[in-house]
Amino acid sequence: MTQTFENKSALVTGAARGIGRVTALMLRDRGARVVATDISETVHELVGDGIVTLTGSIAEEETARRSVALACEKFGRLDILVNNAGRTMNRALIDMTVEDWDGIMAVNARGTFLHAREAVRAMIEGDGGVIVNIASIVAQVAMKDTAVYAASKGRSRS
């Protein structure tokens, strides 16, 4: 049985490639109207029937506000948020800088929080919704040179 998303509106972060791109296309193919966001301009390749796009860093509060507002403006509501965008860095912990830590946390933790907060605000005004936070296996299983990335993704385990 295939899940359908007819009459649903979704926001997918990190949609220019990989899991985000496939998720945006799958949601669209199953009936959802999608806002696809990414820091990369290549996200605009997805523009078409049922998909609108926006570029910006998910670490910035304004990007979260603009993304949710675009969904509400174009589709009248927001039902689904897929927090997919993420940044990784494979480097030994002793070689990591404070700037490395801050950069990864800004995207993976703060960006997820900002988008969830704005989405919940819109969902409260509507009929509710669902938020999916894409985590990583390194949140549960240790791997070489992934300490900071693992810490940033561990918040999605709940």
Side-chain angles (χ1 to χ4, degrees):
M1 180 188 240
T2 300
Q3 173 84 32
T4 64
F5 297 96
E6 294 296 326
N7 301 315
K8 300 293 182 188
S9 169
L11 166 58
V12 180
T13 68
R17 63 186 183 90
I19 293 169
R21 184 181 190 97
V22 170
T23 301
L25 292 169
M26 181 272 305
L27 286 165
R28 190 264 332 259
D29 291 346
R30 293 186 182 177
R33 295 157 301 168
V34 179
V35 173
T37 70
D38 203 285
I39 198 165
S40 172
E41 295 289 331
T42 60
V43 74
H44 299 304
E45 295 170 0
L46 293 171
V47 169
D49 187 36
I51 298 181
V52 296
T53 58
L54 182 139
T55 54
S57 170
I58 68 159
E60 296 174 6
E61 195 167 22
E62 187 58 26
T63 301
R65 289 184 178 138
R66 288 176 41 228
S67 298
V68 171
L70 182 60
C72 293
E73 173 190 318
K74 292 288 186 181
F75 308 131
R77 58 194 283 159
L78 179 62
D79 303 294
I80 302 163
L81 167 63
V82 179
N83 270 319
N84 171 69
R87 179 175 167 209
T88 187
M89 181 179 295
N90 295 342
R91 188 176 295 158
L93 180 63
I94 60 172
D95 296 328
M96 298 291 287
T97 66
V98 171
E99 292 77 19
D100 294 335
W101 170 271
D102 289 345
I104 289 172
M105 288 298 183
V107 172
N108 297 357
R110 185 175 64 219
T112 297
F113 154 71
L114 292 170
H115 280 72
R117 182 188 68 190
E118 296 307 313
V120 167
R121 288 177 174 163
M123 290 172 180
I124 287 172
E125 293 178 12
D127 296 327
V130 64
I131 298 174
V132 178
N133 293 325
I134 304 298
S136 171
I137 190 66
V138 300
Q140 297 180 10
V141 177
M143 293 184 182
K144 184 178 181 352
D145 297 336
T146 63
V148 176
Y149 177 69
S152 75
K153 290 304 222 173
R155 80 341 176 164
S156 296
R157 289 183 57 198
S158 62

